[in-house]
Amino acid sequence: MSDREMLKQASGFFKSHYPGLMPEAIVAFLFIAGSEKQLTVGDVARALGMTEPDAYQHLSHIAVGRGAGLVQLVNLGEGRNGVTLTETGQMARADILEKMG
């Protein structure tokens, strides 16, 4: 499946399940869902070419407590925040991958 087709499938998933999310939040989720390592807000910011405050703002739209509940922001100390998928986020990742498969 081409990258374009994968993005089309992911876009369809988010339009039907989380229609109010901004594209930046969706891209942040896809980056996190595709990573095999523990990420920080800074990692997401660098990967997406934005500042950490902007990345944090977009992540808040998909975070537990303030957003869609797809990710959990965890204080790692020293001004760093980790980002992990919640159970809901893991199910969303599985659903997207299934549709791509």
Side-chain angles (χ1 to χ4, degrees):
M1 179 178 290
S2 71
D3 288 345
R4 184 177 183 164
E5 184 61 26
M6 286 190 289
L7 286 174
K8 184 178 177 181
Q9 293 296 329
S11 176
F13 171 84
F14 281 99
K15 282 181 184 177
S16 66
H17 291 83
Y18 302 96
L21 285 181
M22 295 178 62
E24 294 87 352
I26 295 169
V27 171
F29 173 80
L30 294 173
F31 175 71
I32 296 161
S35 180
E36 295 182 13
K37 68 173 195 154
Q38 170 67 49
L39 296 172
T40 65
V41 173
D43 294 329
V44 175
R46 282 185 293 282
L48 302 182
M50 58 180 68
T51 65
E52 285 191 42
D54 285 344
Y56 191 87
Q57 177 184 2
H58 292 300
L59 290 170
S60 71
H61 294 286
I62 59 173
V64 170
R66 296 169 282 197
L70 299 170
V71 299
Q72 177 74 45
L73 298 171
V74 181
N75 185 336
L76 301 175
E78 299 178 6
R80 296 179 35 193
N81 288 294
V83 184
T84 58
L85 291 180
T86 62
E87 186 175 326
T88 301
Q90 292 172 6
M91 290 187 306
R93 176 180 58 188
D95 194 17
I96 292 167
L97 291 174
E98 181 181 311
K99 287 179 179 16
M100 291 179 189

